[in-house]
Amino acid sequence: MAILDIIYYPDKRLRTIAKPVKKVDDDIKKLVDDMFETMYVAPGIGLAATQVNVHKQVIVIDVSEHKDQPLCLINPVIIAEEGSESSDEGCLSVPEIYETVQRAAKVTVKAMDQNGDEFTLQADEMLAVCIQHEMDHLVGKLFVDYLSPLKLQRLKKRLLKNMREEQRALG
Ligand code: GNR
Ligand code: NI
């Protein structure tokens, strides 16, 4: 296994549209393993292939408390959604920034797992948020895209400040 490099906003590569996976072969299985390792090390509750600069429709998620419920979604499609809910979101590609985002409260998603088997999953709460957040990555969308222009401007200033502080800390 290997830990993959995560790319950071405003990197244009995060805007790439991911392509469907044609066949869940050994290369895809290795990608999934590496993405799980990268997500657990980060640590994060989800990771989209887009974030490691692989533009295929592959997502890994684990929202469990003990990090023992890995979930892989390949070529995911939302087939039903219900309600709406606001929650605070963060993103490994936008470090240390948390903002409130409104999304569907419940989603039903159809996807393939890491063995290429199709499954349907009903999700609510954190899992529903995470699935929608990760599926956005696959179409080049980030949670910051939902913010008002004023909030986005403030966020950019904060990011610049964080970057400068990090540079200073590195000497
Ligand atoms: O680790 C993550 N936490 C998180 C918190 C609230 C809403 C969404 C997320 S996903 C994020 C990992 C990530 O960036 N996935 O793309
Ligand atoms: Ni993210």
Side-chain angles (χ1 to χ4, degrees):
M1 291 217 279
I3 295 167
L4 308 170
D5 286 329
I6 292 174
I7 52 182
Y8 298 105
Y9 176 82
D11 194 315
K12 282 275 183 291
R13 293 173 294 177
L14 287 169
R15 302 307 186 177
T16 313
I17 311 275
K19 291 196 165 70
V21 171
K22 285 195 192 118
K23 188 170 179 289
V24 182
D25 57 16
D26 287 350
D27 283 355
I28 295 293
K29 287 179 189 175
K30 178 168 192 333
L31 171 67
V32 170
D33 284 346
D34 290 347
M35 284 175 62
F36 271 121
E37 190 178 16
T38 305
M39 177 189 76
Y40 285 126
V41 165
I45 60 168
L47 186 71
T50 310
Q51 293 176 277
V52 293
N53 199 33
V54 176
H55 303 291
K56 294 178 182 161
Q57 294 178 12
V58 178
I59 289 169
V60 297
I61 291 176
D62 191 339
V63 296
S64 71
E65 188 183 350
H66 300 291
K67 299 288 155 211
D68 55 2
Q69 287 172 45
L71 183 65
C72 168
L73 294 95
I74 297 173
N75 301 348
V77 181
I78 289 181
I79 55 176
E81 52 178 72
E82 205 185 303
S84 123
E85 199 85 70
S86 291
S87 61
D88 277 0
E89 294 194 19
C91 182
L92 293 171
S93 296
V94 194
E96 290 168 63
I97 302 284
Y98 299 88
E99 296 286 351
T100 307
V101 179
Q102 191 180 337
R103 298 187 187 273
K106 296 181 183 180
V107 295
T108 305
V109 63
K110 201 175 91 174
M112 280 190 296
D113 63 19
Q114 54 268 61
N115 300 314
D117 296 325
E118 238 186 48
F119 67 98
T120 303
L121 174 74
Q122 283 192 57
D124 61 6
E125 308 208 340
M126 202 60 196
L127 183 56
V129 172
C130 194
I131 288 171
Q132 292 172 85
H133 175 114
E134 304 311 339
M135 285 184 69
D136 269 357
H137 276 302
L138 300 182
V139 290
K141 195 161 178 156
L142 296 164
F143 80 108
V144 301
D145 299 343
Y146 295 101
L147 302 178
S148 68
L150 180 64
K151 280 199 169 169
L152 188 62
Q153 198 182 5
R154 286 179 181 157
L155 181 150
K156 283 178 180 167
K157 282 186 183 160
R158 253 185 296 147
L159 271 177
L160 278 173
K161 187 165 167 278
N162 289 352
M163 278 169 57
R164 280 197 297 267
E165 279 172 5
E166 198 162 305
Q167 277 307 312
R168 194 143 38 88
L170 291 171

